Protein backbone atom coordinates (compact mmCIF):
# COMPACT_ATOMS: atom_id res chain seq x y z
CA UNK A 1 0.00 0.00 0.00
CA UNK A 2 2.66 2.20 0.63
CA UNK A 3 3.84 1.80 -2.82
CA UNK A 4 0.47 2.88 -4.08
CA UNK A 5 0.57 5.91 -1.86
CA UNK A 6 3.96 6.90 -3.24
CA UNK A 7 2.73 6.52 -6.81
CA UNK A 8 -0.30 8.57 -6.11
CA UNK A 9 1.78 11.34 -4.72
CA UNK A 10 3.88 11.66 -7.87
CA UNK A 11 2.53 13.76 -10.72
CA UNK A 12 1.54 12.03 -13.92
CA UNK A 13 3.36 14.65 -15.97
CA UNK A 14 6.75 13.99 -14.41
CA UNK A 15 8.55 10.92 -15.66
CA UNK A 16 9.94 8.26 -13.43
CA UNK A 17 13.76 8.43 -13.46
CA UNK A 18 14.48 4.73 -13.37
CA UNK A 19 12.24 4.16 -16.39
CA UNK A 20 13.98 6.95 -18.27
CA UNK A 21 17.41 5.46 -17.56
CA UNK A 22 16.30 1.96 -18.56
CA UNK A 23 14.62 3.41 -21.71
CA UNK A 24 17.83 5.30 -22.63
CA UNK A 25 19.97 2.19 -22.11
CA UNK A 26 17.60 0.08 -24.28
CA UNK A 27 17.50 2.85 -26.87
CA UNK A 28 21.31 2.98 -26.90
CA UNK A 29 21.55 -0.81 -27.36
CA UNK A 30 18.98 -0.81 -30.14
CA UNK A 31 20.66 2.22 -31.75
CA UNK A 32 24.08 0.56 -31.52
CA UNK A 33 22.77 -2.70 -33.05
CA UNK A 34 20.95 -0.81 -35.83
CA UNK A 35 23.96 1.39 -36.56
CA UNK A 36 26.38 -1.55 -36.73
CA UNK A 37 24.15 -4.13 -38.44
CA UNK A 38 21.20 -2.52 -40.16
CA UNK A 39 22.50 0.93 -41.12
CA UNK A 40 25.38 -0.39 -43.32
CA UNK A 41 22.96 -2.66 -45.17
CA UNK A 42 20.53 0.23 -45.68
CA UNK A 43 23.35 2.56 -46.77
CA UNK A 44 24.69 -0.09 -49.13
CA UNK A 45 21.24 -0.60 -50.69
CA UNK A 46 20.78 3.17 -51.01
CA UNK A 47 24.24 3.52 -52.61
CA UNK A 48 23.49 0.72 -55.07
CA UNK A 49 20.18 2.36 -55.85
CA UNK A 50 21.86 5.74 -56.37
CA UNK A 51 24.51 4.16 -58.64
CA UNK A 52 21.83 2.31 -60.58
CA UNK A 53 19.88 5.52 -61.07
CA UNK A 54 23.00 7.47 -62.08
CA UNK A 55 24.05 4.60 -64.35
CA UNK A 56 20.57 4.53 -65.84
CA UNK A 57 20.74 8.27 -66.45
CA UNK A 58 24.16 7.90 -68.06
CA UNK A 59 22.91 4.99 -70.14
CA UNK A 60 19.87 7.00 -71.15
CA UNK A 61 22.07 9.94 -72.12
CA UNK A 62 24.38 7.63 -74.07
CA UNK A 63 21.39 6.02 -75.77
CA UNK A 64 19.99 9.45 -76.59
CA UNK A 65 23.34 10.54 -78.03
CA UNK A 66 23.56 7.35 -80.05
CA UNK A 67 19.97 7.76 -81.23
CA UNK A 68 20.76 11.32 -82.29
CA UNK A 69 23.82 10.18 -84.24
CA UNK A 70 21.79 7.39 -85.88
CA UNK A 71 19.11 9.93 -86.76
CA UNK A 72 21.73 12.20 -88.33
CA UNK A 73 23.12 9.25 -90.29
CA UNK A 74 19.61 8.31 -91.39
CA UNK A 75 18.94 11.88 -92.50
CA UNK A 76 22.24 11.95 -94.40
CA UNK A 77 21.48 8.61 -96.07
CA UNK A 78 17.98 9.78 -96.91
CA UNK A 79 19.33 12.98 -98.46
CA UNK A 80 21.90 10.95 -100.39
CA UNK A 81 19.21 8.52 -101.56
CA UNK A 82 17.04 11.43 -102.72
CA UNK A 83 20.00 12.92 -104.55
CA UNK A 84 20.77 9.55 -106.15
CA UNK A 85 17.11 9.11 -107.15
CA UNK A 86 17.11 12.57 -108.74
CA UNK A 87 20.33 11.75 -110.59
CA UNK A 88 18.92 8.42 -111.80
CA UNK A 89 15.70 10.12 -112.87
CA UNK A 90 17.72 12.71 -114.82
CA UNK A 91 19.82 9.98 -116.45
CA UNK A 92 16.66 8.06 -117.36
CA UNK A 93 15.17 11.18 -118.94
CA UNK A 94 18.36 11.80 -120.89
CA UNK A 95 18.53 8.17 -122.01
CA UNK A 96 14.86 8.34 -122.97
CA UNK A 97 15.52 11.44 -125.06
CA UNK A 98 18.49 9.72 -126.74
CA UNK A 99 16.40 6.61 -127.42
CA UNK A 100 13.60 8.74 -128.86
CA UNK A 101 16.10 10.53 -131.12
CA UNK A 102 17.56 7.20 -132.21
CA UNK A 103 14.10 5.80 -132.90
CA UNK A 104 13.18 8.92 -134.91
CA UNK A 105 16.39 8.61 -136.91
CA UNK A 106 15.75 4.89 -137.46
CA UNK A 107 12.17 5.63 -138.49
CA UNK A 108 13.38 8.34 -140.89
CA UNK A 109 15.96 5.96 -142.34
CA UNK A 110 13.36 3.21 -142.78
CA UNK A 111 10.95 5.68 -144.33
CA UNK A 112 13.60 6.81 -146.80
CA UNK A 113 14.44 3.17 -147.60
CA UNK A 114 10.77 2.41 -148.17
CA UNK A 115 10.38 5.51 -150.36
CA UNK A 116 13.56 4.61 -152.29
CA UNK A 117 12.34 1.02 -152.70
CA UNK A 118 8.95 2.35 -153.81
CA UNK A 119 10.57 4.69 -156.35
CA UNK A 120 12.77 1.83 -157.61
CA UNK A 121 9.70 -0.41 -157.91
CA UNK A 122 7.76 2.34 -159.69
CA UNK A 123 10.70 2.91 -162.06
CA UNK A 124 10.97 -0.82 -162.73
CA UNK A 125 7.21 -1.05 -163.29
CA UNK A 126 7.35 2.02 -165.58
CA UNK A 127 10.19 0.49 -167.59
CA UNK A 128 8.35 -2.83 -167.79
CA UNK A 129 5.15 -1.04 -168.82
CA UNK A 130 7.07 1.06 -171.35
CA UNK A 131 8.72 -2.05 -172.78
CA UNK A 132 5.39 -3.87 -172.95
CA UNK A 133 3.77 -0.78 -174.49
CA UNK A 134 6.58 -0.52 -177.05
CA UNK A 135 6.07 -4.10 -178.05
CA UNK A 136 2.31 -3.70 -178.29
CA UNK A 137 2.55 -0.37 -180.12
CA UNK A 138 5.27 -1.80 -182.36
CA UNK A 139 3.12 -4.79 -183.27
CA UNK A 140 0.09 -2.62 -183.86
CA UNK A 141 2.12 -0.14 -185.89
CA UNK A 142 3.67 -2.90 -187.98
CA UNK A 143 0.29 -4.46 -188.60
CA UNK A 144 -1.17 -1.10 -189.55
CA UNK A 145 1.81 -0.20 -191.71
CA UNK A 146 1.61 -3.59 -193.37
CA UNK A 147 -2.06 -3.05 -194.19
CA UNK A 148 -1.36 0.45 -195.49
CA UNK A 149 1.62 -0.51 -197.59
CA UNK A 150 0.08 -3.71 -198.63
CA UNK A 151 3.04 -5.87 -197.97
CA UNK A 152 4.02 -7.86 -194.95
CA UNK A 153 6.49 -6.32 -192.56
CA UNK A 154 7.18 -9.54 -190.78
CA UNK A 155 10.92 -9.16 -190.80
CA UNK A 156 11.60 -8.75 -187.13
CA UNK A 157 14.83 -6.75 -187.47
CA UNK A 158 13.28 -4.27 -189.81
CA UNK A 159 10.16 -4.08 -187.71
CA UNK A 160 12.14 -3.43 -184.49
CA UNK A 161 14.26 -0.74 -186.08
CA UNK A 162 11.25 1.08 -187.50
CA UNK A 163 9.28 0.89 -184.27
CA UNK A 164 12.24 1.95 -182.13
CA UNK A 165 12.95 4.93 -184.36
CA UNK A 166 9.33 5.98 -184.28
CA UNK A 167 9.07 5.70 -180.50
CA UNK A 168 12.36 7.53 -179.96
CA UNK A 169 11.05 10.41 -182.07
CA UNK A 170 7.86 10.47 -179.97
CA UNK A 171 9.85 10.50 -176.73
CA UNK A 172 12.09 13.31 -177.99
CA UNK A 173 9.02 15.39 -178.92
CA UNK A 174 7.47 14.69 -175.45
CA UNK A 175 10.64 15.78 -173.66
CA UNK A 176 10.95 18.91 -175.82
CA UNK A 177 7.37 19.82 -174.93
CA UNK A 178 8.13 19.70 -171.24
Amino acid sequence: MMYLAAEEAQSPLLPVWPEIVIGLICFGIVFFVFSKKLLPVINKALEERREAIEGGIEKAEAAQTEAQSVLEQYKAQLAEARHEAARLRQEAQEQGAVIIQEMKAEGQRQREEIIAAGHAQIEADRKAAASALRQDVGKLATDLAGKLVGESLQDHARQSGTVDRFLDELEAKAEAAR
Side-chain angles (χ1 to χ4, degrees):
M1 257 219 192
M2 194 165 173
Y3 184 66
L4 284 176
E7 278 186 24
E8 287 178 15
Q10 189 170 3
S11 166
L13 294 177
L14 292 175
V16 180
W17 285 107
E19 288 179 4
I20 290 179
V21 171
I22 291 175
L24 283 174
I25 291 172
C26 289
F27 177 76
I29 292 170
V30 170
F31 181 77
F32 179 76
V33 170
F34 277 171
S35 67
K36 294 296 180 188
K37 299 288 182 182
L38 192 58
L39 195 57
V41 173
I42 292 173
N43 283 339
K44 183 180 176 185
L46 288 175
E47 185 65 26
E48 289 174 357
R49 176 88 173 173
R50 185 184 61 77
E51 288 175 2
I53 290 172
E54 287 177 358
I57 290 172
E58 290 173 359
K59 286 179 184 176
E61 288 173 352
Q64 186 176 6
T65 304
E66 184 180 346
Q68 187 65 28
S69 69
V70 168
L71 178 64
E72 291 301 321
Q73 288 175 353
Y74 171 74
K75 285 181 181 179
Q77 288 175 350
L78 185 60
E80 184 178 327
R82 284 182 180 155
H83 178 69
E84 182 70 16
R87 186 186 63 78
L88 290 175
R89 199 171 26 253
Q90 181 66 28
E91 284 181 10
Q93 288 174 346
E94 290 171 1
Q95 288 176 354
V98 167
I99 290 171
I100 289 172
Q101 281 300 102
E102 289 174 356
M103 295 305 285
K104 283 182 180 178
E106 179 66 21
Q108 184 70 21
R109 186 189 62 76
Q110 287 179 353
R111 180 174 96 37
E112 289 172 1
E113 285 178 3
I114 291 170
I115 288 173
H119 283 250
Q121 183 65 36
I122 289 172
E123 184 62 28
D125 288 347
R126 187 189 67 76
K127 285 182 181 178
S131 175
L133 185 61
R134 262 182 192 253
Q135 288 176 359
D136 289 344
V137 168
K139 185 171 183 318
L140 289 173
T142 333
D143 289 345
L144 182 61
K147 287 183 183 179
L148 287 175
V149 173
E151 66 182 73
S152 173
L153 298 174
Q154 293 301 324
D155 182 18
H156 184 62
R158 188 192 285 167
Q159 179 183 1
S160 284
T162 306
V163 170
D164 286 340
R165 191 173 14 96
F166 176 72
L167 290 175
D168 287 339
E169 287 174 9
L170 283 178
E171 283 180 5
K173 287 180 185 178
E175 286 182 19
R178 286 185 198 172

